[in-house]
Amino acid sequence: MQKALAAAGVASRRACAELIKQGRVAVNHQVVTEPGQLIDPTHDVVTVDGEHIALENAQPFLYLMLNKPVGVVSTVQDPRGRPTVLDVVGPLPARVYPVGRLDINSSGLLLLTNDGDLAYKLTHPRFEIPKTYRVVAKGFVGPQAARSLAEGVVLEDGLTAPAEVRFVDYDKGTQSTILDITIREGRNRQVRRMMEAVGHPVRQLTRIGFGNLRLKGLAPGTWRKLRPDELAALRTLIEQQQKLLLTHKQRPL
């Protein structure tokens, strides 16, 4: 059911599962609270918060890459009236939603789609899809701090997984170190918290890579559709990660 709701553009598959758990979804006028129920999109009547969802008329899939500017929130609505990513992209032929998030003070590569299945697999921690950030950090990030970032940093929600850290430059004028950091997790404000933990707070944070995608030739506040080869490469990456997961499960103890 959550897959059908996601395909209809309600929200991501994970978010649709949460709507079901919250008792906000009904099938044939009966509230359902367990995700995973099978439905017939051509006959069953499905509502979310009392609003009928036309599952049989699922919108065509859209896949967009946005260079999110600072000051824009990575949501489709904001109760505080701040500009959202949908305000940036403008009218579209189908409802889309962001794949993961960037905080309001961060910029860079953000995917938007109405393909709930793809969004789920790109953001679920078990698939370990890499995300790369260009970090401008306060002070000189020396070998010891870089090694801590690479091996894992203890945060309030536990030890982070190993990260890939690449030194880019040091700006003497601003006394800032520029690094590229690749992580395979998706904790809230993770890179910022990692840098704070090693004593080098972030001054500027830009996501420059997501899976096989790279932020090139896209000015802040602009967007484009993914090319067929980019989408195919994303799907191939997910398939590779699925095979790795299966291999790990089959290994003898």
Side-chain angles (χ1 to χ4, degrees):
M1 182 163 59
Q2 61 263 37
K3 188 173 181 179
L5 289 172
V10 174
S12 69
R13 194 167 79 174
R14 187 186 302 178
C16 287
E18 288 300 317
L19 291 176
I20 296 168
K21 291 177 183 178
Q22 293 166 11
R24 297 168 61 183
V25 178
V27 179
N28 299 325
H29 310 294
Q30 296 293 320
V31 173
V32 177
T33 58
E34 291 294 329
Q37 176 174 323
L38 297 178
I39 59 172
D40 182 349
T42 61
H43 292 91
D44 290 331
V45 177
V46 178
T47 59
V48 177
D49 293 334
E51 179 183 351
H52 177 255
I53 306 299
L55 300 179
E56 70 279 8
N57 296 320
Q59 300 166 322
F61 286 146
L62 290 178
Y63 307 92
L64 311 180
M65 180 195 297
L66 167 69
N67 187 346
K68 186 192 90 67
V70 171
V72 173
V73 294
S74 300
T75 57
V76 296
Q77 294 180 337
D78 184 65
R80 295 166 58 182
R82 297 171 297 181
T84 72
V85 290
L86 292 192
D87 294 325
V88 177
V89 299
L92 294 169
R95 293 175 60 184
V96 296
Y97 40 87
V99 180
R101 293 189 177 185
L102 285 169
D103 67 61
I104 192 169
N105 295 315
S106 300
S107 62
L109 198 164
L110 186 67
L111 296 177
L112 297 102
T113 186
N114 55 345
D115 185 341
D117 186 60
L118 182 73
Y120 169 79
K121 291 174 179 176
L122 287 174
T123 54
H124 196 287
R126 72 190 182 104
F127 289 98
E128 298 184 347
I129 302 300
K131 296 172 284 292
T132 302
Y133 299 83
R134 174 64 53 84
V135 179
V136 180
K138 180 180 179 181
F140 178 72
V141 180
Q144 183 174 349
R147 185 163 49 252
S148 295
L149 293 168
E151 294 177 351
V153 178
V154 177
L155 303 177
E156 61 269 23
D157 51 357
L159 180 69
T160 63
E164 299 171 24
V165 181
R166 186 176 74 88
F167 177 84
V168 177
D169 200 3
Y170 178 72
D171 188 331
K172 293 182 179 179
T174 60
Q175 296 185 344
S176 300
T177 303
I178 304 172
L179 303 169
D180 284 350
I181 298 179
T182 300
I183 61 174
R184 294 176 179 269
E185 298 178 287
R187 305 188 199 185
N188 184 42
R189 300 180 72 251
Q190 181 174 338
V191 174
R192 290 184 181 274
R193 291 191 292 140
M194 289 171 64
M195 296 306 300
E196 289 173 2
V198 297
H200 297 279
V202 169
R203 286 177 167 166
Q204 184 177 330
L205 184 68
T206 304
R207 183 190 286 157
I208 60 174
F210 194 132
N212 59 290
L213 302 175
R214 293 296 177 267
L215 187 68
K216 294 181 179 178
L218 202 59
T222 63
W223 61 272
R224 66 172 176 83
K225 293 182 179 179
L226 292 189
R227 302 189 306 268
D229 63 302
E230 292 175 323
L231 184 58
L234 273 181
R235 296 191 186 283
T236 298
L237 176 61
I238 291 171
E239 290 175 3
Q240 291 171 343
Q241 294 301 105
Q242 286 178 314
K243 289 179 181 178
L244 284 174
L245 283 171
L246 184 60
T247 300
H248 289 320
K249 287 182 179 180
Q250 293 176 343
R251 285 180 180 173
L253 296 177

